[in-house]
Amino acid sequence: MNETFKALSDPTRRKILDLLKESDLTAGEISGHFNMSKPSISQHLKILKNAGLVQDVKKGQFVVYSLNTTIFQDIISWAFNFTDDQKENKRG
Amino acid sequence: MNETFKALSDPTRRKILDLLKESDLTAGEISGHFNMSKPSISQHLKILKNAGLVQDVKKGQFVVYSLNTTIFQDIISWAFNFTDDQKENKRG
């Protein structure tokens, strides 16, 4: 979870995730949405990939990035334990 | 969200949240669960508080820490947008 939350603590990386929510994208397409050098975006993508938040698949000469939705389910399950709903369950 | 996720990226801080899930605790009680100096624990508590993950209430001569459960609901709502369930909703 350390790496996951560290990856999520950066607004550029969260914006990349927002873009990937709409559709799978190449690194070039992602870069087009930012005023930032391609190597910077590549570095952010690498951190997101290492944290398991995105995956990349080679399609011909391109690498296409997509969300790894299961990790978001893991975050939901983790956070749910800290909500009042969970407390109610325990009492009931 | 930056501060929230940064606060969550540390295992000691997540363990403090786990303890507070069970019951509200003073800083001293929390320190008792760790092999760490009290100032270090205080620093972690400060970060959790600044991130809105915990709140502290003065009770007599003690400061009692408790979870701020609403922020965990916010995390769930945020993460839900990245799950397949959400994608299904959009398609439907």
Side-chain angles (χ1 to χ4, degrees):
Chain A
M1 292 297 252
N2 293 358
E3 248 186 308
T4 307
F5 286 126
K6 214 168 279 173
L8 292 173
S9 70
D10 180 273
T12 300
R13 290 196 287 269
R14 289 205 306 283
K15 200 184 160 195
I16 291 173
L17 295 175
D18 282 332
L19 292 170
L20 292 176
K21 200 164 62 181
E22 304 306 322
S23 65
D24 300 348
L25 296 169
T26 65
E29 288 168 333
I30 294 167
S31 295
H33 287 84
F34 295 90
N35 257 333
M36 212 177 270
S37 70
K38 284 190 184 188
S40 297
I41 293 295
S42 290
Q43 185 57 24
H44 283 305
L45 286 169
K46 195 175 156 185
I47 291 167
L48 287 169
K49 191 186 161 187
N50 288 342
L53 288 155
V54 305
Q55 53 217 355
D56 57 358
V57 175
K58 209 163 174 171
K59 286 191 186 170
Q61 61 180 130
F62 296 107
V63 176
V64 177
Y65 288 86
S66 60
L67 292 179
N68 178 9
T69 56
T70 56
I71 203 161
F72 293 95
Q73 278 293 356
D74 294 343
I75 294 168
I76 291 170
S77 303
W78 176 85
F80 180 72
N81 290 312
F82 298 94
T83 61
D84 287 326
D85 289 343
Q86 177 59 13
K87 284 188 185 167
E88 294 300 323
N89 283 352
K90 269 173 152 179
R91 277 188 207 112
Chain B
M1 293 297 255
N2 292 359
E3 251 185 306
T4 306
F5 286 126
K6 216 170 278 173
L8 292 174
S9 71
D10 180 273
T12 301
R13 291 196 286 271
R14 288 204 307 282
K15 201 186 158 189
I16 292 174
L17 296 174
D18 282 331
L19 293 170
L20 293 175
K21 202 164 60 179
E22 304 306 322
S23 66
D24 299 349
L25 296 168
T26 66
E29 289 169 330
I30 293 166
S31 293
H33 286 84
F34 295 91
N35 259 334
M36 214 178 270
S37 70
K38 282 188 184 190
S40 296
I41 293 296
S42 290
Q43 185 56 26
H44 282 306
L45 285 168
K46 195 175 158 189
I47 291 168
L48 287 169
K49 192 186 161 185
N50 288 343
L53 288 156
V54 305
Q55 52 215 358
D56 57 356
V57 176
K58 211 164 170 168
K59 286 192 185 170
Q61 60 178 128
F62 296 106
V63 175
V64 177
Y65 289 86
S66 60
L67 291 179
N68 179 9
T69 55
T70 55
I71 202 161
F72 293 95
Q73 279 293 356
D74 294 343
I75 293 168
I76 291 170
S77 303
W78 176 84
F80 181 72
N81 290 313
F82 297 94
T83 61
D84 286 326
D85 289 344
Q86 178 58 15
K87 283 190 186 166
E88 294 301 322
N89 283 352
K90 268 175 154 178
R91 278 189 207 113

